Amino acid sequence: MTRVADLHEKWSEDPEYRAAYDRLGPEFEVARALIEARSRAGLTQSELAERMETTQSVVARLESGRARPSTRTLEKFARATGTRLRIAFDPA
């Protein structure tokens, strides 16, 4: 069975793939942070959705990177996971 990480490493040799991946990097970082916060809180997507007063499919879209969450949504996510939202701008 091929792992996604192995495929990513192989595909990263392709300049077009790498450029597309790099453009989406910030979105992947947000999705990864959301998944980690939910996991640390010990919540399923359904449990988190209930706390956020939304649906499991909304949480799934947020965690997949297919949706760009508003600051308000990120604040609700933080409250529901018992975390603090922090947004930072780092030098390029």
mmCIF file of all heavy atoms in Angstrom, residues 39-92:
data_model
loop_
_atom_site.group_PDB
_atom_site.id
_atom_site.type_symbol
_atom_site.label_atom_id
_atom_site.label_comp_id
_atom_site.label_asym_id
_atom_site.label_seq_id
_atom_site.Cartn_x
_atom_site.Cartn_y
_atom_site.Cartn_z
ATOM 1 N N SER A 39 -8.149 17.066 17.727
ATOM 2 C CA SER A 39 -7.595 15.816 18.253
ATOM 3 C C SER A 39 -7.125 15.982 19.694
ATOM 4 O O SER A 39 -7.390 15.125 20.542
ATOM 5 C CB SER A 39 -6.441 15.328 17.385
ATOM 6 O OG SER A 39 -6.903 14.983 16.110
ATOM 7 N N ARG A 40 -6.417 17.087 19.966
ATOM 8 C CA ARG A 40 -5.954 17.348 21.343
ATOM 9 C C ARG A 40 -7.129 17.468 22.308
ATOM 10 O O ARG A 40 -7.022 17.100 23.473
ATOM 11 C CB ARG A 40 -5.103 18.609 21.393
ATOM 12 C CG ARG A 40 -3.665 18.394 21.002
ATOM 13 C CD ARG A 40 -2.784 19.592 21.386
ATOM 14 N NE ARG A 40 -3.349 20.875 21.000
ATOM 15 C CZ ARG A 40 -3.118 21.488 19.834
ATOM 16 N NH1 ARG A 40 -2.335 20.939 18.944
ATOM 17 N NH2 ARG A 40 -3.658 22.650 19.568
ATOM 18 N N ALA A 41 -8.238 18.022 21.825
ATOM 19 C CA ALA A 41 -9.430 18.179 22.672
ATOM 20 C C ALA A 41 -10.166 16.850 22.848
ATOM 21 O O ALA A 41 -11.092 16.765 23.652
ATOM 22 C CB ALA A 41 -10.366 19.227 22.072
ATOM 23 N N GLY A 42 -9.757 15.832 22.078
ATOM 24 C CA GLY A 42 -10.388 14.515 22.192
ATOM 25 C C GLY A 42 -11.798 14.478 21.636
ATOM 26 O O GLY A 42 -12.636 13.728 22.126
ATOM 27 N N LEU A 43 -12.055 15.287 20.619
ATOM 28 C CA LEU A 43 -13.399 15.388 20.053
ATOM 29 C C LEU A 43 -13.471 14.753 18.677
ATOM 30 O O LEU A 43 -12.518 14.818 17.908
ATOM 31 C CB LEU A 43 -13.803 16.858 19.923
ATOM 32 C CG LEU A 43 -13.874 17.681 21.203
ATOM 33 C CD1 LEU A 43 -14.055 19.150 20.875
ATOM 34 C CD2 LEU A 43 -14.998 17.180 22.078
ATOM 35 N N THR A 44 -14.616 14.178 18.371
ATOM 36 C CA THR A 44 -14.890 13.746 17.004
ATOM 37 C C THR A 44 -15.387 14.970 16.237
ATOM 38 O O THR A 44 -15.736 15.997 16.837
ATOM 39 C CB THR A 44 -15.975 12.657 16.962
ATOM 40 O OG1 THR A 44 -17.216 13.233 17.420
ATOM 41 C CG2 THR A 44 -15.608 11.447 17.814
ATOM 42 N N GLN A 45 -15.451 14.854 14.935
ATOM 43 C CA GLN A 45 -16.002 15.956 14.140
ATOM 44 C C GLN A 45 -17.435 16.241 14.554
ATOM 45 O O GLN A 45 -17.838 17.405 14.638
ATOM 46 C CB GLN A 45 -15.927 15.639 12.650
ATOM 47 C CG GLN A 45 -14.536 15.701 12.080
ATOM 48 C CD GLN A 45 -14.507 15.451 10.588
ATOM 49 O OE1 GLN A 45 -15.458 14.942 9.998
ATOM 50 N NE2 GLN A 45 -13.401 15.809 9.948
ATOM 51 N N SER A 46 -18.205 15.213 14.826
ATOM 52 C CA SER A 46 -19.610 15.400 15.227
ATOM 53 C C SER A 46 -19.721 16.113 16.565
ATOM 54 O O SER A 46 -20.562 17.004 16.738
ATOM 55 C CB SER A 46 -20.335 14.053 15.290
ATOM 56 O OG SER A 46 -20.396 13.477 14.023
ATOM 57 N N GLU A 47 -18.880 15.723 17.523
ATOM 58 C CA GLU A 47 -18.907 16.376 18.832
ATOM 59 C C GLU A 47 -18.508 17.846 18.720
ATOM 60 O O GLU A 47 -19.126 18.718 19.343
ATOM 61 C CB GLU A 47 -17.970 15.647 19.799
ATOM 62 C CG GLU A 47 -18.456 14.261 20.171
ATOM 63 C CD GLU A 47 -17.395 13.423 20.863
ATOM 64 O OE1 GLU A 47 -16.178 13.676 20.663
ATOM 65 O OE2 GLU A 47 -17.789 12.503 21.596
ATOM 66 N N LEU A 48 -17.487 18.107 17.915
ATOM 67 C CA LEU A 48 -17.052 19.487 17.710
ATOM 68 C C LEU A 48 -18.153 20.300 17.040
ATOM 69 O O LEU A 48 -18.438 21.434 17.438
ATOM 70 C CB LEU A 48 -15.779 19.528 16.868
ATOM 71 C CG LEU A 48 -15.252 20.914 16.521
ATOM 72 C CD1 LEU A 48 -14.928 21.720 17.770
ATOM 73 C CD2 LEU A 48 -14.042 20.806 15.626
ATOM 74 N N ALA A 49 -18.787 19.717 16.035
ATOM 75 C CA ALA A 49 -19.871 20.413 15.335
ATOM 76 C C ALA A 49 -20.988 20.779 16.299
ATOM 77 O O ALA A 49 -21.524 21.893 16.236
ATOM 78 C CB ALA A 49 -20.410 19.528 14.210
ATOM 79 N N GLU A 50 -21.318 19.885 17.192
ATOM 80 C CA GLU A 50 -22.374 20.161 18.169
ATOM 81 C C GLU A 50 -21.981 21.344 19.054
ATOM 82 O O GLU A 50 -22.790 22.241 19.286
ATOM 83 C CB GLU A 50 -22.619 18.917 19.030
ATOM 84 C CG GLU A 50 -23.822 19.039 19.924
ATOM 85 C CD GLU A 50 -24.112 17.733 20.650
ATOM 86 O OE1 GLU A 50 -24.055 16.670 20.014
ATOM 87 O OE2 GLU A 50 -24.391 17.817 21.861
ATOM 88 N N ARG A 51 -20.744 21.366 19.510
ATOM 89 C CA ARG A 51 -20.274 22.476 20.339
ATOM 90 C C ARG A 51 -20.265 23.790 19.575
ATOM 91 O O ARG A 51 -20.458 24.851 20.158
ATOM 92 C CB ARG A 51 -18.866 22.199 20.867
ATOM 93 C CG ARG A 51 -18.814 21.141 21.927
ATOM 94 C CD ARG A 51 -17.413 21.003 22.457
ATOM 95 N NE ARG A 51 -17.317 19.983 23.480
ATOM 96 C CZ ARG A 51 -16.276 19.823 24.272
ATOM 97 N NH1 ARG A 51 -15.218 20.612 24.157
ATOM 98 N NH2 ARG A 51 -16.260 18.869 25.171
ATOM 99 N N MET A 52 -19.989 23.715 18.264
ATOM 100 C CA MET A 52 -19.949 24.918 17.435
ATOM 101 C C MET A 52 -21.330 25.310 16.918
ATOM 102 O O MET A 52 -21.471 26.336 16.264
ATOM 103 C CB MET A 52 -19.014 24.705 16.239
ATOM 104 C CG MET A 52 -17.554 24.610 16.584
ATOM 105 S SD MET A 52 -16.522 24.303 15.123
ATOM 106 C CE MET A 52 -16.767 25.831 14.199
ATOM 107 N N GLU A 53 -22.316 24.474 17.174
ATOM 108 C CA GLU A 53 -23.681 24.680 16.677
ATOM 109 C C GLU A 53 -23.700 24.717 15.153
ATOM 110 O O GLU A 53 -24.255 25.629 14.539
ATOM 111 C CB GLU A 53 -24.314 25.922 17.287
ATOM 112 C CG GLU A 53 -24.442 25.829 18.796
ATOM 113 C CD GLU A 53 -25.059 27.055 19.423
ATOM 114 O OE1 GLU A 53 -25.226 28.086 18.734
ATOM 115 O OE2 GLU A 53 -25.393 26.979 20.617
ATOM 116 N N THR A 54 -23.059 23.707 14.566
ATOM 117 C CA THR A 54 -23.028 23.551 13.122
ATOM 118 C C THR A 54 -23.145 22.062 12.812
ATOM 119 O O THR A 54 -23.535 21.284 13.670
ATOM 120 C CB THR A 54 -21.740 24.196 12.536
ATOM 121 O OG1 THR A 54 -21.864 24.245 11.133
ATOM 122 C CG2 THR A 54 -20.485 23.458 12.927
ATOM 123 N N THR A 55 -22.780 21.672 11.603
ATOM 124 C CA THR A 55 -22.891 20.270 11.218
ATOM 125 C C THR A 55 -21.510 19.644 11.075
ATOM 126 O O THR A 55 -20.509 20.342 10.889
ATOM 127 C CB THR A 55 -23.637 20.118 9.877
ATOM 128 O OG1 THR A 55 -22.863 20.773 8.860
ATOM 129 C CG2 THR A 55 -25.032 20.736 9.948
ATOM 130 N N GLN A 56 -21.482 18.322 11.107
ATOM 131 C CA GLN A 56 -20.233 17.582 10.941
ATOM 132 C C GLN A 56 -19.637 17.859 9.573
ATOM 133 O O GLN A 56 -18.414 17.959 9.430
ATOM 134 C CB GLN A 56 -20.486 16.086 11.148
ATOM 135 C CG GLN A 56 -19.262 15.213 10.991
ATOM 136 C CD GLN A 56 -19.019 14.797 9.552
ATOM 137 O OE1 GLN A 56 -19.967 14.629 8.781
ATOM 138 N NE2 GLN A 56 -17.760 14.638 9.189
ATOM 139 N N SER A 57 -20.475 18.025 8.565
ATOM 140 C CA SER A 57 -19.945 18.263 7.218
ATOM 141 C C SER A 57 -19.220 19.606 7.131
ATOM 142 O O SER A 57 -18.241 19.736 6.389
ATOM 143 C CB SER A 57 -21.047 18.163 6.157
ATOM 144 O OG SER A 57 -22.028 19.138 6.370
ATOM 145 N N VAL A 58 -19.657 20.594 7.890
ATOM 146 C CA VAL A 58 -18.954 21.886 7.924
ATOM 147 C C VAL A 58 -17.571 21.692 8.532
ATOM 148 O O VAL A 58 -16.571 22.193 8.007
ATOM 149 C CB VAL A 58 -19.762 22.945 8.706
ATOM 150 C CG1 VAL A 58 -18.917 24.175 9.000
ATOM 151 C CG2 VAL A 58 -21.011 23.328 7.942
ATOM 152 N N VAL A 59 -17.496 20.951 9.624
ATOM 153 C CA VAL A 59 -16.205 20.686 10.261
ATOM 154 C C VAL A 59 -15.294 19.922 9.291
ATOM 155 O O VAL A 59 -14.115 20.244 9.154
ATOM 156 C CB VAL A 59 -16.382 19.906 11.588
ATOM 157 C CG1 VAL A 59 -15.030 19.491 12.161
ATOM 158 C CG2 VAL A 59 -17.156 20.747 12.598
ATOM 159 N N ALA A 60 -15.849 18.948 8.598
ATOM 160 C CA ALA A 60 -15.056 18.176 7.632
ATOM 161 C C ALA A 60 -14.502 19.081 6.532
ATOM 162 O O ALA A 60 -13.336 18.941 6.133
ATOM 163 C CB ALA A 60 -15.901 17.055 7.029
ATOM 164 N N ARG A 61 -15.317 20.009 6.038
ATOM 165 C CA ARG A 61 -14.842 20.936 5.000
ATOM 166 C C ARG A 61 -13.730 21.834 5.536
ATOM 167 O O ARG A 61 -12.750 22.102 4.849
ATOM 168 C CB ARG A 61 -15.996 21.776 4.450
ATOM 169 C CG ARG A 61 -16.813 21.056 3.404
ATOM 170 C CD ARG A 61 -17.720 21.999 2.646
ATOM 171 N NE ARG A 61 -18.687 22.688 3.485
ATOM 172 C CZ ARG A 61 -19.853 22.195 3.873
ATOM 173 N NH1 ARG A 61 -20.220 20.988 3.502
ATOM 174 N NH2 ARG A 61 -20.665 22.902 4.621
ATOM 175 N N LEU A 62 -13.866 22.295 6.773
ATOM 176 C CA LEU A 62 -12.825 23.130 7.375
ATOM 177 C C LEU A 62 -11.514 22.354 7.477
ATOM 178 O O LEU A 62 -10.447 22.872 7.151
ATOM 179 C CB LEU A 62 -13.245 23.595 8.770
ATOM 180 C CG LEU A 62 -14.379 24.611 8.847
ATOM 181 C CD1 LEU A 62 -14.836 24.766 10.290
ATOM 182 C CD2 LEU A 62 -13.949 25.936 8.262
ATOM 183 N N GLU A 63 -11.614 21.103 7.925
ATOM 184 C CA GLU A 63 -10.417 20.294 8.131
ATOM 185 C C GLU A 63 -9.807 19.806 6.820
ATOM 186 O O GLU A 63 -8.642 19.429 6.796
ATOM 187 C CB GLU A 63 -10.728 19.110 9.041
ATOM 188 C CG GLU A 63 -10.992 19.533 10.474
ATOM 189 C CD GLU A 63 -11.189 18.367 11.413
ATOM 190 O OE1 GLU A 63 -11.207 17.201 10.953
ATOM 191 O OE2 GLU A 63 -11.329 18.610 12.624
ATOM 192 N N SER A 64 -10.572 19.818 5.758
ATOM 193 C CA SER A 64 -10.037 19.357 4.469
ATOM 194 C C SER A 64 -9.304 20.476 3.739
ATOM 195 O O SER A 64 -8.596 20.218 2.772
ATOM 196 C CB SER A 64 -11.171 18.848 3.579
ATOM 197 O OG SER A 64 -11.941 19.932 3.086
ATOM 198 N N GLY A 65 -9.499 21.709 4.186
ATOM 199 C CA GLY A 65 -8.890 22.843 3.501
ATOM 200 C C GLY A 65 -9.734 23.334 2.336
ATOM 201 O O GLY A 65 -9.341 24.243 1.620
ATOM 202 N N ARG A 66 -10.923 22.741 2.136
ATOM 203 C CA ARG A 66 -11.788 23.153 1.026
ATOM 204 C C ARG A 66 -12.545 24.432 1.328
ATOM 205 O O ARG A 66 -13.108 25.034 0.425
ATOM 206 C CB ARG A 66 -12.794 22.040 0.692
ATOM 207 C CG ARG A 66 -12.158 20.821 0.094
ATOM 208 C CD ARG A 66 -13.211 19.833 -0.316
ATOM 209 N NE ARG A 66 -14.195 19.622 0.733
ATOM 210 C CZ ARG A 66 -14.584 18.441 1.167
ATOM 211 N NH1 ARG A 66 -14.104 17.361 0.643
ATOM 212 N NH2 ARG A 66 -15.479 18.341 2.121
ATOM 213 N N ALA A 67 -12.584 24.821 2.600
ATOM 214 C CA ALA A 67 -13.300 26.033 2.980
ATOM 215 C C ALA A 67 -12.315 27.009 3.613
ATOM 216 O O ALA A 67 -11.403 26.601 4.323
ATOM 217 C CB ALA A 67 -14.415 25.693 3.970
ATOM 218 N N ARG A 68 -12.493 28.269 3.343
ATOM 219 C CA ARG A 68 -11.668 29.299 3.973
ATOM 220 C C ARG A 68 -12.466 29.875 5.129
ATOM 221 O O ARG A 68 -13.402 30.651 4.920
ATOM 222 C CB ARG A 68 -11.327 30.393 2.976
ATOM 223 C CG ARG A 68 -10.366 29.919 1.926
ATOM 224 C CD ARG A 68 -9.937 31.066 1.072
ATOM 225 N NE ARG A 68 -8.893 30.631 0.164
ATOM 226 C CZ ARG A 68 -8.234 31.454 -0.609
ATOM 227 N NH1 ARG A 68 -8.499 32.733 -0.594
ATOM 228 N NH2 ARG A 68 -7.309 30.997 -1.408
ATOM 229 N N PRO A 69 -12.105 29.506 6.354
ATOM 230 C CA PRO A 69 -12.909 29.947 7.503
ATOM 231 C C PRO A 69 -12.739 31.428 7.803
ATOM 232 O O PRO A 69 -11.655 31.993 7.628
ATOM 233 C CB PRO A 69 -12.374 29.090 8.645
ATOM 234 C CG PRO A 69 -10.992 28.726 8.241
ATOM 235 C CD PRO A 69 -11.009 28.643 6.745
ATOM 236 N N SER A 70 -13.818 32.028 8.254
ATOM 237 C CA SER A 70 -13.762 33.415 8.704
ATOM 238 C C SER A 70 -13.137 33.449 10.098
ATOM 239 O O SER A 70 -13.023 32.420 10.773
ATOM 240 C CB SER A 70 -15.173 33.998 8.772
ATOM 241 O OG SER A 70 -15.913 33.340 9.790
ATOM 242 N N THR A 71 -12.759 34.627 10.526
ATOM 243 C CA THR A 71 -12.221 34.785 11.877
ATOM 244 C C THR A 71 -13.271 34.371 12.896
ATOM 245 O O THR A 71 -12.954 33.719 13.894
ATOM 246 C CB THR A 71 -11.782 36.245 12.115
ATOM 247 O OG1 THR A 71 -10.841 36.604 11.100
ATOM 248 C CG2 THR A 71 -11.147 36.415 13.472
ATOM 249 N N ARG A 72 -14.515 34.701 12.644
ATOM 250 C CA ARG A 72 -15.595 34.320 13.556
ATOM 251 C C ARG A 72 -15.681 32.797 13.687
ATOM 252 O O ARG A 72 -15.827 32.261 14.792
ATOM 253 C CB ARG A 72 -16.924 34.887 13.065
ATOM 254 C CG ARG A 72 -18.086 34.537 13.994
ATOM 255 C CD ARG A 72 -19.314 35.263 13.606
ATOM 256 N NE ARG A 72 -19.015 36.687 13.788
ATOM 257 C CZ ARG A 72 -19.836 37.667 13.490
ATOM 258 N NH1 ARG A 72 -21.010 37.398 12.996
ATOM 259 N NH2 ARG A 72 -19.497 38.913 13.672
ATOM 260 N N THR A 73 -15.570 32.088 12.576
ATOM 261 C CA THR A 73 -15.617 30.622 12.613
ATOM 262 C C THR A 73 -14.414 30.074 13.380
ATOM 263 O O THR A 73 -14.551 29.143 14.179
ATOM 264 C CB THR A 73 -15.650 30.045 11.186
ATOM 265 O OG1 THR A 73 -16.845 30.492 10.547
ATOM 266 C CG2 THR A 73 -15.608 28.527 11.186
ATOM 267 N N LEU A 74 -13.244 30.641 13.149
ATOM 268 C CA LEU A 74 -12.054 30.195 13.874
ATOM 269 C C LEU A 74 -12.192 30.447 15.376
ATOM 270 O O LEU A 74 -11.747 29.640 16.193
ATOM 271 C CB LEU A 74 -10.806 30.891 13.325
ATOM 272 C CG LEU A 74 -10.406 30.494 11.902
ATOM 273 C CD1 LEU A 74 -9.252 31.372 11.419
ATOM 274 C CD2 LEU A 74 -10.061 29.024 11.812
ATOM 275 N N GLU A 75 -12.831 31.563 15.754
ATOM 276 C CA GLU A 75 -13.073 31.840 17.173
ATOM 277 C C GLU A 75 -14.013 30.807 17.778
ATOM 278 O O GLU A 75 -13.794 30.326 18.898
ATOM 279 C CB GLU A 75 -13.630 33.249 17.347
ATOM 280 C CG GLU A 75 -12.605 34.336 17.074
ATOM 281 C CD GLU A 75 -13.218 35.726 17.008
ATOM 282 O OE1 GLU A 75 -14.440 35.860 16.776
ATOM 283 O OE2 GLU A 75 -12.452 36.697 17.162
ATOM 284 N N LYS A 76 -15.069 30.441 17.051
ATOM 285 C CA LYS A 76 -15.997 29.405 17.526
ATOM 286 C C LYS A 76 -15.271 28.075 17.668
ATOM 287 O O LYS A 76 -15.486 27.337 18.635
ATOM 288 C CB LYS A 76 -17.179 29.264 16.566
ATOM 289 C CG LYS A 76 -18.184 30.394 16.637
ATOM 290 C CD LYS A 76 -19.257 30.279 15.586
ATOM 291 C CE LYS A 76 -20.192 29.131 15.861
ATOM 292 N NZ LYS A 76 -21.344 29.102 14.934
ATOM 293 N N PHE A 77 -14.420 27.765 16.705
ATOM 294 C CA PHE A 77 -13.642 26.533 16.740
ATOM 295 C C PHE A 77 -12.757 26.519 17.983
ATOM 296 O O PHE A 77 -12.675 25.509 18.698
ATOM 297 C CB PHE A 77 -12.799 26.424 15.464
ATOM 298 C CG PHE A 77 -12.229 25.064 15.214
ATOM 299 C CD1 PHE A 77 -12.791 24.222 14.271
ATOM 300 C CD2 PHE A 77 -11.116 24.621 15.904
ATOM 301 C CE1 PHE A 77 -12.267 22.961 14.031
ATOM 302 C CE2 PHE A 77 -10.579 23.370 15.666
ATOM 303 C CZ PHE A 77 -11.157 22.541 14.734
ATOM 304 N N ALA A 78 -12.080 27.638 18.247
ATOM 305 C CA ALA A 78 -11.195 27.732 19.409
ATOM 306 C C ALA A 78 -11.967 27.526 20.706
ATOM 307 O O ALA A 78 -11.549 26.750 21.578
ATOM 308 C CB ALA A 78 -10.474 29.078 19.417
ATOM 309 N N ARG A 79 -13.101 28.198 20.852
ATOM 310 C CA ARG A 79 -13.910 28.027 22.066
ATOM 311 C C ARG A 79 -14.342 26.580 22.227
ATOM 312 O O ARG A 79 -14.286 26.012 23.316
ATOM 313 C CB ARG A 79 -15.134 28.940 22.032
ATOM 314 C CG ARG A 79 -14.861 30.364 22.458
ATOM 315 C CD ARG A 79 -16.138 31.161 22.710
ATOM 316 N NE ARG A 79 -17.023 31.200 21.559
ATOM 317 C CZ ARG A 79 -16.907 32.046 20.538
ATOM 318 N NH1 ARG A 79 -15.923 32.917 20.523
ATOM 319 N NH2 ARG A 79 -17.755 32.023 19.540
ATOM 320 N N ALA A 80 -14.775 25.967 21.143
ATOM 321 C CA ALA A 80 -15.282 24.593 21.185
ATOM 322 C C ALA A 80 -14.190 23.584 21.525
ATOM 323 O O ALA A 80 -14.479 22.524 22.090
ATOM 324 C CB ALA A 80 -15.932 24.234 19.849
ATOM 325 N N THR A 81 -12.945 23.905 21.209
ATOM 326 C CA THR A 81 -11.842 22.985 21.496
ATOM 327 C C THR A 81 -11.064 23.374 22.750
ATOM 328 O O THR A 81 -10.081 22.723 23.103
ATOM 329 C CB THR A 81 -10.856 22.908 20.303
ATOM 330 O OG1 THR A 81 -10.370 24.220 20.014
ATOM 331 C CG2 THR A 81 -11.502 22.290 19.084
ATOM 332 N N GLY A 82 -11.502 24.447 23.411
ATOM 333 C CA GLY A 82 -10.817 24.885 24.625
ATOM 334 C C GLY A 82 -9.435 25.448 24.345
ATOM 335 O O GLY A 82 -8.527 25.321 25.163
ATOM 336 N N THR A 83 -9.303 26.090 23.191
ATOM 337 C CA THR A 83 -8.020 26.686 22.819
ATOM 338 C C THR A 83 -8.196 28.185 22.612
ATOM 339 O O THR A 83 -9.312 28.703 22.673
ATOM 340 C CB THR A 83 -7.464 26.049 21.522
ATOM 341 O OG1 THR A 83 -8.412 26.224 20.467
ATOM 342 C CG2 THR A 83 -7.185 24.571 21.712
ATOM 343 N N ARG A 84 -7.088 28.863 22.376
ATOM 344 C CA ARG A 84 -7.096 30.293 22.121
ATOM 345 C C ARG A 84 -6.652 30.520 20.690
ATOM 346 O O ARG A 84 -5.633 29.984 20.255
ATOM 347 C CB ARG A 84 -6.136 30.992 23.089
ATOM 348 C CG ARG A 84 -6.052 32.487 22.930
ATOM 349 C CD ARG A 84 -5.112 33.105 23.965
ATOM 350 N NE ARG A 84 -3.764 32.586 23.907
ATOM 351 C CZ ARG A 84 -2.786 33.114 23.177
ATOM 352 N NH1 ARG A 84 -3.012 34.180 22.438
ATOM 353 N NH2 ARG A 84 -1.581 32.594 23.177
ATOM 354 N N LEU A 85 -7.405 31.305 19.949
ATOM 355 C CA LEU A 85 -7.045 31.634 18.575
ATOM 356 C C LEU A 85 -5.946 32.681 18.599
ATOM 357 O O LEU A 85 -6.042 33.696 19.285
ATOM 358 C CB LEU A 85 -8.260 32.181 17.807
ATOM 359 C CG LEU A 85 -7.993 32.674 16.393
ATOM 360 C CD1 LEU A 85 -7.474 31.537 15.500
ATOM 361 C CD2 LEU A 85 -9.246 33.298 15.803
ATOM 362 N N ARG A 86 -4.894 32.421 17.836
ATOM 363 C CA ARG A 86 -3.793 33.355 17.710
ATOM 364 C C ARG A 86 -3.438 33.429 16.226
ATOM 365 O O ARG A 86 -3.170 32.424 15.590
ATOM 366 C CB ARG A 86 -2.581 32.855 18.507
ATOM 367 C CG ARG A 86 -1.406 33.780 18.470
ATOM 368 C CD ARG A 86 -0.294 33.269 19.388
ATOM 369 N NE ARG A 86 -0.014 31.867 19.133
ATOM 370 C CZ ARG A 86 1.093 31.422 18.543
ATOM 371 N NH1 ARG A 86 2.006 32.258 18.147
ATOM 372 N NH2 ARG A 86 1.292 30.145 18.354
ATOM 373 N N ILE A 87 -3.447 34.636 15.697
ATOM 374 C CA ILE A 87 -3.090 34.854 14.284
ATOM 375 C C ILE A 87 -1.807 35.672 14.280
ATOM 376 O O ILE A 87 -1.697 36.672 14.983
ATOM 377 C CB ILE A 87 -4.215 35.586 13.529
ATOM 378 C CG1 ILE A 87 -5.479 34.741 13.552
ATOM 379 C CG2 ILE A 87 -3.784 35.901 12.107
ATOM 380 C CD1 ILE A 87 -6.705 35.435 12.992
ATOM 381 N N ALA A 88 -0.839 35.222 13.485
ATOM 382 C CA ALA A 88 0.449 35.910 13.466
ATOM 383 C C ALA A 88 0.898 36.151 12.037
ATOM 384 O O ALA A 88 0.527 35.414 11.124
ATOM 385 C CB ALA A 88 1.497 35.065 14.190
ATOM 386 N N PHE A 89 1.669 37.188 11.853
ATOM 387 C CA PHE A 89 2.300 37.487 10.571
ATOM 388 C C PHE A 89 3.800 37.344 10.767
ATOM 389 O O PHE A 89 4.394 38.075 11.569
ATOM 390 C CB PHE A 89 1.947 38.906 10.092
ATOM 391 C CG PHE A 89 0.506 39.056 9.768
ATOM 392 C CD1 PHE A 89 -0.388 39.532 10.702
ATOM 393 C CD2 PHE A 89 0.027 38.719 8.511
ATOM 394 C CE1 PHE A 89 -1.726 39.674 10.400
ATOM 395 C CE2 PHE A 89 -1.314 38.847 8.200
ATOM 396 C CZ PHE A 89 -2.193 39.330 9.147
ATOM 397 N N ASP A 90 4.405 36.409 10.077
ATOM 398 C CA ASP A 90 5.840 36.164 10.173
ATOM 399 C C ASP A 90 6.544 36.784 8.973
ATOM 400 O O ASP A 90 5.969 36.878 7.894
ATOM 401 C CB ASP A 90 6.121 34.655 10.213
ATOM 402 C CG ASP A 90 5.526 33.986 11.435
ATOM 403 O OD1 ASP A 90 5.464 34.635 12.499
ATOM 404 O OD2 ASP A 90 5.125 32.809 11.336
ATOM 405 N N PRO A 91 7.795 37.182 9.153
ATOM 406 C CA PRO A 91 8.535 37.726 8.023
ATOM 407 C C PRO A 91 8.627 36.704 6.890
ATOM 408 O O PRO A 91 8.712 35.512 7.145
ATOM 409 C CB PRO A 91 9.933 38.005 8.594
ATOM 410 C CG PRO A 91 9.779 37.974 10.074
ATOM 411 C CD PRO A 91 8.586 37.141 10.373
ATOM 412 N N ALA A 92 8.618 37.180 5.668
ATOM 413 C CA ALA A 92 8.690 36.289 4.509
ATOM 414 C C ALA A 92 10.076 35.723 4.358
ATOM 415 O O ALA A 92 11.043 36.236 4.783
ATOM 416 C CB ALA A 92 8.306 37.055 3.250
#
